[in-house]
Structures are given as structure tokens and as C-alpha cells.
Amino acid sequence: MAGPASFLTEGFREKYGDAGITRMVRAPGRVNLIGEHTDYNLGFVLPVALQMACYIAVGRRHDGRLRVWSENVRQSREWPVENLGSLERTGEWSDYVAGVARELVRAGCTVRPSNLYLWSTVPVGSGLSSSAALEVAAAMALVDEAAGLTRLDIARLCQRAETDFVGLPCGIMDQFASLFGEAGCAVRIDCRTLAHDAV
């Protein structure tokens, strides 16, 4: 991640000054080989995680707020962390981050005041799951490691964020593929049971 890491580091410093980066996360987009539209009908799917991904650099804040800057749309949004559990959608790009933050709080997780610097190489509207990549990256950036969430927990949480908060009904394939994808493999998922294996 040397290329993206350098880009994120420079961009983070430009937006947030000397506030240090505490971690960087990456969540890939996906392409589906078999099973289009069968995930929400509880069928079988065979997605592949892509090299194109959403990246987020994370740093701490000390003013009780969560702030996110999107390099792709050149906009920022912020919310008091104490209000995250009651956020409502606005119809903007930031709903994907806000929805994940709300679902984390509602799941009993602590979301700490943070600076997020977001950059995605997954083209929006291309059918490569740019929204799922953003949701999964946001969840990994915000979740406290002490929360003990599994990758499956995070996939379900991100699916709820897209369905219940953003308002776009979807199955779990996109978020699942972003979290369980492996290099050189597709992921075969039985969407009835969520049993899966690398193919």
C-alpha cells in the first residue's frame, strides 16, 4: 500500500495539519462472476474482490466530533459523536459514513472523535460496489478493536447501513466480498446460510 499510503499521508496532513495518522484501512470493490441479483433472493453468488478500493486514513480528534473529508468529491462533513446514534439521512455521499457510524453506535460500539481522510479508486456508478467499499472502509476506520466484531458482523452492519439508513435495499454480497475477498480467488457464498469458501 506504499502508493496509496503516501497519497493518504500527504492529503491527511494538508487537511488536518500535524494531527497524526493512527491507522489506514482499505476495502476493495468487487465484480460478480455468477449470481447477479441472487444474494437478496438467498441464492449462490461468486464475487471477486478488486484491486480498486476505498482507503481511509484515521487520526484522533479531541473536540468530540467525527469529521470526514472525501478527496473524490472535495467535501467534508462532521457530526458530534454524541449524536451519531440519532443521525438521519441527507441524500448526500456522506450518508454511507453516517449510516455506518449510526449502526456501530446502535450495536453498542464506541465511536471515538476522529479525523477521516477518504479516497476511493472504485468508480462510482460502475457496478463495482463503490458504496460497499466505502461502508466497509468506514466501519474498519471507526470500529474500536475492543468491540470484538467479526468480519461477518461488520458485513451485516454495513448492509444495514445501506438498507436502513441510505435507503437502498441490497443483499449482503457486496459488503461480504469486500471483507472476505482473497488475492487470486473468488468467494463462493451461499446467501441462505452465509457459508462461504475461496475458489
Side-chain angles (χ1 to χ4, degrees), residues 20 27 47 56 58-59 66-67 77 81-82 92 108 111 119 125 137 158 175 182 199:
I56 299 180
V58 187
L66 171 63
R67 184 170 192 245
R77 296 289 182 271
V81 292
E82 64 188 17
E92 299 182 353
V111 176
W119 173 56
C158 290
Q175 295 86 358
E182 297 180 19
V199 178

Side-chain angles (χ1 to χ4, degrees), residues 48-69:
V48 176
L50 300 172
Q51 288 291 334
M52 292 177 283
C54 181
Y55 302 88
I56 299 180
V58 187
R60 289 285 170 85
R61 288 180 73 97
H62 304 286
D63 61 356
R65 301 183 73 81
L66 171 63
R67 184 170 192 245
V68 58
W69 167 266

Side-chain angles (χ1 to χ4, degrees), residues 169-187:
C170 67
I172 200 169
M173 172 179 65
D174 298 352
Q175 295 86 358
F176 201 103
S178 189
L179 283 153
F180 288 89
E182 297 180 19
C185 297
V187 185

Side-chain angles (χ1 to χ4, degrees), residues 71-84:
E71 184 61 28
N72 298 86
V73 296
R74 304 288 296 170
Q75 293 178 354
S76 65
R77 296 289 182 271
E78 63 180 79
W79 311 271
V81 292
E82 64 188 17
N83 295 345
L84 293 176

